[in-house]
Amino acid sequence: AGIGVATGEMILLVNPDAELARGALAALVEAAADADIVAPRILLREAPHHLDNCGHDLYPDGLNWCRGRGEAAEGRFGRSEDLLLFSGAAVLMRREVLERIGGFDPDYFAYGEDADLGLRAARAGFRCRYEPRAEVRHAVGGAFGRASLRKVFLVERNRARVAVAHLPADWLVVAPLWTLRRALALAGPAVLGEGFGAAWSPTQ
């Protein structure tokens, strides 16, 4: 709805559980002089010395994953660089991007919609740039909890949608093996009460 009534050349999208640090907007706009989409450096709001993400990469089964999630922020991802995918938690993009490729697909509802739009933008030749001078603090799981059953369902459902829509056929054939590997990698630390998997709860 906001995109529909906005009139500016640049569109800033910010999750309701995210907030921009002082100077972040100016840094994003400056970086947009050489890019069509600009992703900020996103810190964990509850632990601001640690990273939430510095843009996203794509896992071989179609899941977009956070670069740097949980790592100490100091000395990590400190350079501006081209990026495949932005995080929908906070991003600046030119109106032209949305006009040419269309906006977010509402069928995703939550999670993965940023990966879908980012891949469509990349295919159309638009440049995505990571800008570390622009800092945002994000409360991970502010909408659905860190790892509720509903969140897990939406993430995995939409991961499959992204895979079918964007991955080549030979990747799709082996995607289930990558998904199994990812699940096992989460399960191991979770048994010890560590890592992302430890936060999962079927009651949320």
Side-chain angles (χ1 to χ4, degrees):
I3 292 171
V5 299
T7 59
E9 176 191 352
M10 308 300 296
I11 304 292
L12 176 67
L13 303 173
V14 184
N15 268 16
D17 57 2
E19 54 190 34
L20 275 69
R22 184 183 300 273
L25 181 56
L28 289 170
V29 172
E30 183 179 340
D34 296 316
D36 305 294
I37 302 171
V38 186
R41 178 181 177 87
I42 303 180
L43 306 172
L44 293 171
R45 197 165 75 182
E46 65 273 23
H49 295 297
H50 289 77
L51 298 171
D52 172 23
N53 76 77
C54 300
H56 286 174
D57 275 331
L58 193 67
Y59 194 70
D61 68 351
L63 181 75
N64 54 315
W65 59 274
C66 300
R67 300 196 315 156
R69 166 66 64 83
E71 295 181 14
E74 185 175 359
R76 295 289 291 147
F77 299 99
R79 292 185 177 183
S80 178
E81 60 181 313
D82 284 346
L83 192 65
L84 176 62
L85 299 174
F86 62 89
S87 166
V91 63
L92 182 76
M93 63 180 65
R94 296 185 179 278
R95 172 181 297 278
E96 180 188 1
V97 175
L98 300 171
E99 290 178 344
R100 280 184 48 187
I101 68 174
F104 290 99
D105 184 343
D107 288 342
Y108 280 83
F109 176 59
Y111 305 109
E113 79 285 355
D114 46 2
D116 171 68
L117 192 146
L119 290 168
R120 283 189 279 129
R123 186 173 289 117
F126 289 111
R127 184 184 185 191
C128 183
R129 189 81 178 162
Y130 164 66
E131 178 48 65
R133 294 176 302 150
E135 290 194 348
V136 172
R137 293 188 179 184
H138 179 216
V140 177
F144 292 92
R146 289 183 67 89
S148 66
L149 184 60
R150 178 150 175 74
K151 178 176 180 177
V152 171
F153 167 75
L154 289 169
V155 167
E156 291 301 327
R157 182 197 70 177
N158 293 344
R159 185 269 312 164
R161 287 177 61 104
V162 169
V164 171
H166 297 284
L167 297 186
D170 54 344
W171 279 37
L172 289 176
V173 171
V174 297
L177 297 177
W178 284 104
T179 301
L180 177 62
R181 177 180 178 181
R182 174 165 55 86
L184 292 174
L186 287 172
V191 170
L192 301 176
E194 301 173 354
F196 177 80
W200 183 80
S201 169
T203 61
Q204 294 183 21

